[in-house]
PDB file of all heavy atoms in Angstrom:
ATOM      1  N   GLY A   2       8.181  -1.268 -14.980  1.00 97.00           N
ATOM      2  CA  GLY A   2       7.350  -2.287 -15.590  1.00 97.00           C
ATOM      3  C   GLY A   2       6.557  -3.135 -14.612  1.00 97.00           C
ATOM      4  O   GLY A   2       5.922  -4.121 -15.010  1.00 97.00           O
ATOM      5  N   LEU A   3       6.582  -2.776 -13.327  1.00 98.00           N
ATOM      6  CA  LEU A   3       5.835  -3.486 -12.297  1.00 98.00           C
ATOM      7  C   LEU A   3       4.781  -2.555 -11.702  1.00 98.00           C
ATOM      8  O   LEU A   3       4.906  -1.322 -11.799  1.00 98.00           O
ATOM      9  CB  LEU A   3       6.771  -3.973 -11.186  1.00 98.00           C
ATOM     10  CG  LEU A   3       8.011  -4.761 -11.610  1.00 98.00           C
ATOM     11  CD1 LEU A   3       8.827  -5.136 -10.382  1.00 98.00           C
ATOM     12  CD2 LEU A   3       7.634  -5.998 -12.410  1.00 98.00           C
ATOM     13  N   ALA A   4       3.757  -3.132 -11.081  1.00 98.00           N
ATOM     14  CA  ALA A   4       2.699  -2.312 -10.482  1.00 98.00           C
ATOM     15  C   ALA A   4       2.253  -2.903  -9.153  1.00 98.00           C
ATOM     16  O   ALA A   4       2.251  -4.128  -8.965  1.00 98.00           O
ATOM     17  CB  ALA A   4       1.506  -2.199 -11.427  1.00 98.00           C
ATOM     18  N   ASN A   5       1.874  -2.024  -8.252  1.00 98.00           N
ATOM     19  CA  ASN A   5       1.299  -2.429  -6.970  1.00 98.00           C
ATOM     20  C   ASN A   5       0.397  -1.301  -6.484  1.00 98.00           C
ATOM     21  O   ASN A   5       0.356  -0.216  -7.090  1.00 98.00           O
ATOM     22  CB  ASN A   5       2.406  -2.728  -5.946  1.00 98.00           C
ATOM     23  CG  ASN A   5       1.917  -3.576  -4.781  1.00 98.00           C
ATOM     24  OD1 ASN A   5       0.744  -3.952  -4.716  1.00 98.00           O
ATOM     25  ND2 ASN A   5       2.813  -3.875  -3.851  1.00 98.00           N
ATOM     26  N   TRP A   6      -0.340  -1.570  -5.417  1.00 98.00           N
ATOM     27  CA  TRP A   6      -1.231  -0.578  -4.823  1.00 98.00           C
ATOM     28  C   TRP A   6      -0.899  -0.403  -3.351  1.00 98.00           C
ATOM     29  O   TRP A   6      -0.571  -1.371  -2.651  1.00 98.00           O
ATOM     30  CB  TRP A   6      -2.697  -1.022  -4.947  1.00 98.00           C
ATOM     31  CG  TRP A   6      -3.267  -0.864  -6.318  1.00 98.00           C
ATOM     32  CD1 TRP A   6      -4.033   0.168  -6.777  1.00 98.00           C
ATOM     33  CD2 TRP A   6      -3.139  -1.782  -7.415  1.00 98.00           C
ATOM     34  NE1 TRP A   6      -4.385  -0.042  -8.084  1.00 98.00           N
ATOM     35  CE2 TRP A   6      -3.851  -1.236  -8.509  1.00 98.00           C
ATOM     36  CE3 TRP A   6      -2.487  -3.008  -7.591  1.00 98.00           C
ATOM     37  CZ2 TRP A   6      -3.938  -1.872  -9.742  1.00 98.00           C
ATOM     38  CZ3 TRP A   6      -2.564  -3.650  -8.819  1.00 98.00           C
ATOM     39  CH2 TRP A   6      -3.276  -3.085  -9.879  1.00 98.00           C
ATOM     40  N   ARG A   7      -0.957   0.811  -2.888  1.00 97.00           N
ATOM     41  CA  ARG A   7      -0.776   1.120  -1.468  1.00 97.00           C
ATOM     42  C   ARG A   7      -1.862   0.420  -0.657  1.00 97.00           C
ATOM     43  O   ARG A   7      -2.962   0.174  -1.164  1.00 97.00           O
ATOM     44  CB  ARG A   7      -0.838   2.629  -1.254  1.00 97.00           C
ATOM     45  CG  ARG A   7      -2.134   3.257  -1.750  1.00 97.00           C
ATOM     46  CD  ARG A   7      -2.220   4.761  -1.516  1.00 97.00           C
ATOM     47  NE  ARG A   7      -1.163   5.479  -2.203  1.00 97.00           N
ATOM     48  CZ  ARG A   7      -0.684   6.643  -1.810  1.00 97.00           C
ATOM     49  NH1 ARG A   7      -1.178   7.228  -0.729  1.00 97.00           N
ATOM     50  NH2 ARG A   7       0.256   7.239  -2.467  1.00 97.00           N
ATOM     51  N   ALA A   8      -1.569   0.122   0.599  1.00 95.00           N
ATOM     52  CA  ALA A   8      -2.555  -0.546   1.443  1.00 95.00           C
ATOM     53  C   ALA A   8      -3.766   0.351   1.696  1.00 95.00           C
ATOM     54  O   ALA A   8      -4.909  -0.087   1.602  1.00 95.00           O
ATOM     55  CB  ALA A   8      -1.922  -0.963   2.767  1.00 95.00           C
ATOM     56  N   GLN A   9      -3.520   1.628   2.010  1.00 96.00           N
ATOM     57  CA  GLN A   9      -4.600   2.572   2.272  1.00 96.00           C
ATOM     58  C   GLN A   9      -4.479   3.761   1.336  1.00 96.00           C
ATOM     59  O   GLN A   9      -3.370   4.206   1.005  1.00 96.00           O
ATOM     60  CB  GLN A   9      -4.557   3.054   3.717  1.00 96.00           C
ATOM     61  CG  GLN A   9      -4.807   1.951   4.740  1.00 96.00           C
ATOM     62  CD  GLN A   9      -5.302   2.501   6.058  1.00 96.00           C
ATOM     63  OE1 GLN A   9      -6.147   3.389   6.095  1.00 96.00           O
ATOM     64  NE2 GLN A   9      -4.795   1.961   7.160  1.00 96.00           N
ATOM     65  N   LEU A  10      -5.633   4.291   0.942  1.00 97.00           N
ATOM     66  CA  LEU A  10      -5.628   5.453   0.060  1.00 97.00           C
ATOM     67  C   LEU A  10      -5.046   6.668   0.773  1.00 97.00           C
ATOM     68  O   LEU A  10      -4.191   7.367   0.234  1.00 97.00           O
ATOM     69  CB  LEU A  10      -7.055   5.754  -0.399  1.00 97.00           C
ATOM     70  CG  LEU A  10      -7.199   6.931  -1.369  1.00 97.00           C
ATOM     71  CD1 LEU A  10      -6.575   6.595  -2.708  1.00 97.00           C
ATOM     72  CD2 LEU A  10      -8.676   7.307  -1.542  1.00 97.00           C
ATOM     73  N   ILE A  11      -5.510   6.912   1.991  1.00 95.00           N
ATOM     74  CA  ILE A  11      -5.120   8.117   2.730  1.00 95.00           C
ATOM     75  C   ILE A  11      -4.204   7.716   3.876  1.00 95.00           C
ATOM     76  O   ILE A  11      -4.548   6.847   4.686  1.00 95.00           O
ATOM     77  CB  ILE A  11      -6.366   8.857   3.265  1.00 95.00           C
ATOM     78  CG1 ILE A  11      -7.270   9.274   2.095  1.00 95.00           C
ATOM     79  CG2 ILE A  11      -5.957  10.067   4.094  1.00 95.00           C
ATOM     80  CD1 ILE A  11      -8.634   9.787   2.530  1.00 95.00           C
ATOM     81  N   THR A  12      -3.048   8.309   3.945  1.00 91.00           N
ATOM     82  CA  THR A  12      -2.102   8.034   5.027  1.00 91.00           C
ATOM     83  C   THR A  12      -2.010   9.244   5.947  1.00 91.00           C
ATOM     84  O   THR A  12      -2.298  10.378   5.544  1.00 91.00           O
ATOM     85  CB  THR A  12      -0.711   7.708   4.467  1.00 91.00           C
ATOM     86  OG1 THR A  12      -0.275   8.790   3.625  1.00 91.00           O
ATOM     87  CG2 THR A  12      -0.739   6.432   3.647  1.00 91.00           C
ATOM     88  N   ALA A  13      -1.608   8.997   7.169  1.00 86.00           N
ATOM     89  CA  ALA A  13      -1.469  10.076   8.139  1.00 86.00           C
ATOM     90  C   ALA A  13      -0.350  11.028   7.719  1.00 86.00           C
ATOM     91  O   ALA A  13       0.573  10.641   6.984  1.00 86.00           O
ATOM     92  CB  ALA A  13      -1.171   9.496   9.519  1.00 86.00           C
ATOM     93  N   ALA A  14      -0.435  12.245   8.168  1.00 84.00           N
ATOM     94  CA  ALA A  14       0.574  13.250   7.831  1.00 84.00           C
ATOM     95  C   ALA A  14       1.963  12.755   8.206  1.00 84.00           C
ATOM     96  O   ALA A  14       2.191  12.283   9.327  1.00 84.00           O
ATOM     97  CB  ALA A  14       0.268  14.558   8.556  1.00 84.00           C
ATOM     98  N   GLY A  15       2.880  12.809   7.276  1.00 85.00           N
ATOM     99  CA  GLY A  15       4.253  12.389   7.523  1.00 85.00           C
ATOM    100  C   GLY A  15       4.514  10.913   7.275  1.00 85.00           C
ATOM    101  O   GLY A  15       5.669  10.481   7.286  1.00 85.00           O
ATOM    102  N   GLU A  16       3.468  10.129   7.079  1.00 89.00           N
ATOM    103  CA  GLU A  16       3.638   8.695   6.822  1.00 89.00           C
ATOM    104  C   GLU A  16       3.751   8.426   5.325  1.00 89.00           C
ATOM    105  O   GLU A  16       3.084   9.072   4.515  1.00 89.00           O
ATOM    106  CB  GLU A  16       2.455   7.897   7.379  1.00 89.00           C
ATOM    107  CG  GLU A  16       2.458   7.745   8.876  1.00 89.00           C
ATOM    108  CD  GLU A  16       1.376   6.779   9.338  1.00 89.00           C
ATOM    109  OE1 GLU A  16       0.725   6.148   8.472  1.00 89.00           O
ATOM    110  OE2 GLU A  16       1.179   6.666  10.555  1.00 89.00           O
ATOM    111  N   LYS A  17       4.585   7.461   4.984  1.00 91.00           N
ATOM    112  CA  LYS A  17       4.696   7.042   3.595  1.00 91.00           C
ATOM    113  C   LYS A  17       3.704   5.914   3.322  1.00 91.00           C
ATOM    114  O   LYS A  17       3.392   5.125   4.219  1.00 91.00           O
ATOM    115  CB  LYS A  17       6.119   6.559   3.300  1.00 91.00           C
ATOM    116  CG  LYS A  17       7.168   7.655   3.348  1.00 91.00           C
ATOM    117  CD  LYS A  17       8.537   7.089   2.983  1.00 91.00           C
ATOM    118  CE  LYS A  17       9.598   8.187   2.994  1.00 91.00           C
ATOM    119  NZ  LYS A  17      10.948   7.646   2.637  1.00 91.00           N
ATOM    120  N   PRO A  18       3.200   5.814   2.095  1.00 94.00           N
ATOM    121  CA  PRO A  18       2.307   4.696   1.770  1.00 94.00           C
ATOM    122  C   PRO A  18       3.009   3.361   2.004  1.00 94.00           C
ATOM    123  O   PRO A  18       4.214   3.233   1.785  1.00 94.00           O
ATOM    124  CB  PRO A  18       2.009   4.901   0.281  1.00 94.00           C
ATOM    125  CG  PRO A  18       2.311   6.338   0.016  1.00 94.00           C
ATOM    126  CD  PRO A  18       3.421   6.710   0.942  1.00 94.00           C
ATOM    127  N   ARG A  19       2.249   2.378   2.452  1.00 93.00           N
ATOM    128  CA  ARG A  19       2.796   1.052   2.730  1.00 93.00           C
ATOM    129  C   ARG A  19       2.485   0.123   1.556  1.00 93.00           C
ATOM    130  O   ARG A  19       1.334   0.015   1.124  1.00 93.00           O
ATOM    131  CB  ARG A  19       2.176   0.506   4.009  1.00 93.00           C
ATOM    132  CG  ARG A  19       2.820  -0.771   4.519  1.00 93.00           C
ATOM    133  CD  ARG A  19       2.109  -1.256   5.757  1.00 93.00           C
ATOM    134  NE  ARG A  19       2.784  -2.392   6.354  1.00 93.00           N
ATOM    135  CZ  ARG A  19       2.198  -3.282   7.130  1.00 93.00           C
ATOM    136  NH1 ARG A  19       0.910  -3.161   7.398  1.00 93.00           N
ATOM    137  NH2 ARG A  19       2.874  -4.289   7.647  1.00 93.00           N
ATOM    138  N   PHE A  20       3.520  -0.548   1.046  1.00 96.00           N
ATOM    139  CA  PHE A  20       3.341  -1.475  -0.059  1.00 96.00           C
ATOM    140  C   PHE A  20       3.727  -2.885   0.388  1.00 96.00           C
ATOM    141  O   PHE A  20       4.869  -3.115   0.809  1.00 96.00           O
ATOM    142  CB  PHE A  20       4.205  -1.071  -1.260  1.00 96.00           C
ATOM    143  CG  PHE A  20       3.749   0.191  -1.932  1.00 96.00           C
ATOM    144  CD1 PHE A  20       4.308   1.417  -1.587  1.00 96.00           C
ATOM    145  CD2 PHE A  20       2.760   0.157  -2.896  1.00 96.00           C
ATOM    146  CE1 PHE A  20       3.892   2.586  -2.207  1.00 96.00           C
ATOM    147  CE2 PHE A  20       2.324   1.321  -3.516  1.00 96.00           C
ATOM    148  CZ  PHE A  20       2.893   2.539  -3.169  1.00 96.00           C
ATOM    149  N   LEU A  21       2.772  -3.803   0.308  1.00 97.00           N
ATOM    150  CA  LEU A  21       3.018  -5.208   0.587  1.00 97.00           C
ATOM    151  C   LEU A  21       2.716  -6.010  -0.675  1.00 97.00           C
ATOM    152  O   LEU A  21       2.172  -5.487  -1.644  1.00 97.00           O
ATOM    153  CB  LEU A  21       2.156  -5.685   1.753  1.00 97.00           C
ATOM    154  CG  LEU A  21       2.408  -4.995   3.095  1.00 97.00           C
ATOM    155  CD1 LEU A  21       1.374  -5.428   4.126  1.00 97.00           C
ATOM    156  CD2 LEU A  21       3.811  -5.305   3.606  1.00 97.00           C
ATOM    157  N   MET A  22       3.054  -7.312  -0.648  1.00 98.00           N
ATOM    158  CA  MET A  22       2.834  -8.138  -1.824  1.00 98.00           C
ATOM    159  C   MET A  22       2.212  -9.461  -1.376  1.00 98.00           C
ATOM    160  O   MET A  22       2.859 -10.502  -1.311  1.00 98.00           O
ATOM    161  CB  MET A  22       4.163  -8.376  -2.558  1.00 98.00           C
ATOM    162  CG  MET A  22       4.011  -9.013  -3.935  1.00 98.00           C
ATOM    163  SD  MET A  22       3.109  -8.007  -5.134  1.00 98.00           S
ATOM    164  CE  MET A  22       4.282  -6.670  -5.424  1.00 98.00           C
ATOM    165  N   GLN A  23       0.921  -9.395  -1.015  1.00 97.00           N
ATOM    166  CA  GLN A  23       0.181 -10.573  -0.590  1.00 97.00           C
ATOM    167  C   GLN A  23      -1.296 -10.325  -0.876  1.00 97.00           C
ATOM    168  O   GLN A  23      -1.696  -9.197  -1.176  1.00 97.00           O
ATOM    169  CB  GLN A  23       0.414 -10.845   0.899  1.00 97.00           C
ATOM    170  CG  GLN A  23       0.130  -9.665   1.805  1.00 97.00           C
ATOM    171  CD  GLN A  23       0.811  -9.777   3.163  1.00 97.00           C
ATOM    172  OE1 GLN A  23       1.984 -10.133   3.244  1.00 97.00           O
ATOM    173  NE2 GLN A  23       0.082  -9.462   4.231  1.00 97.00           N
ATOM    174  N   PHE A  24      -2.098 -11.372  -0.809  1.00 98.00           N
ATOM    175  CA  PHE A  24      -3.498 -11.210  -1.184  1.00 98.00           C
ATOM    176  C   PHE A  24      -4.178 -10.113  -0.376  1.00 98.00           C
ATOM    177  O   PHE A  24      -4.856  -9.248  -0.928  1.00 98.00           O
ATOM    178  CB  PHE A  24      -4.272 -12.523  -1.006  1.00 98.00           C
ATOM    179  CG  PHE A  24      -5.741 -12.363  -1.264  1.00 98.00           C
ATOM    180  CD1 PHE A  24      -6.241 -12.407  -2.550  1.00 98.00           C
ATOM    181  CD2 PHE A  24      -6.629 -12.106  -0.225  1.00 98.00           C
ATOM    182  CE1 PHE A  24      -7.589 -12.212  -2.806  1.00 98.00           C
ATOM    183  CE2 PHE A  24      -7.980 -11.914  -0.461  1.00 98.00           C
ATOM    184  CZ  PHE A  24      -8.459 -11.969  -1.756  1.00 98.00           C
ATOM    185  N   CYS A  25      -4.010 -10.143   0.930  1.00 96.00           N
ATOM    186  CA  CYS A  25      -4.765  -9.224   1.786  1.00 96.00           C
ATOM    187  C   CYS A  25      -4.300  -7.776   1.680  1.00 96.00           C
ATOM    188  O   CYS A  25      -5.067  -6.863   2.001  1.00 96.00           O
ATOM    189  CB  CYS A  25      -4.732  -9.694   3.233  1.00 96.00           C
ATOM    190  SG  CYS A  25      -3.080  -9.977   3.896  1.00 96.00           S
ATOM    191  N   HIS A  26      -3.075  -7.547   1.266  1.00 96.00           N
ATOM    192  CA  HIS A  26      -2.564  -6.190   1.056  1.00 96.00           C
ATOM    193  C   HIS A  26      -1.580  -6.237  -0.111  1.00 96.00           C
ATOM    194  O   HIS A  26      -0.434  -6.643   0.071  1.00 96.00           O
ATOM    195  CB  HIS A  26      -1.844  -5.653   2.299  1.00 96.00           C
ATOM    196  CG  HIS A  26      -2.690  -5.553   3.523  1.00 96.00           C
ATOM    197  ND1 HIS A  26      -3.731  -4.664   3.657  1.00 96.00           N
ATOM    198  CD2 HIS A  26      -2.648  -6.256   4.687  1.00 96.00           C
ATOM    199  CE1 HIS A  26      -4.290  -4.817   4.850  1.00 96.00           C
ATOM    200  NE2 HIS A  26      -3.650  -5.775   5.487  1.00 96.00           N
ATOM    201  N   GLY A  27      -2.000  -5.809  -1.273  1.00 98.00           N
ATOM    202  CA  GLY A  27      -1.050  -5.753  -2.364  1.00 98.00           C
ATOM    203  C   GLY A  27      -1.570  -6.309  -3.675  1.00 98.00           C
ATOM    204  O   GLY A  27      -2.723  -6.742  -3.798  1.00 98.00           O
TER     205      GLY A  27
END
């Protein structure tokens, strides 16, 4: 029931998407 957006659309091979919760990222 919650939603967020990854910081970057495309991540480097082997990297997981980064999720933050602040104005500048999240």
Side-chain angles (χ1 to χ4, degrees):
L3 309 179
N5 199 0
W6 284 262
R7 57 179 61 207
Q9 296 203 43
L10 182 68
I11 300 170
T12 56
E16 285 188 7
K17 292 182 179 180
R19 189 182 186 204
F20 291 94
L21 298 173
M22 191 63 70
Q23 54 200 45
F24 175 83
C25 54
H26 299 292

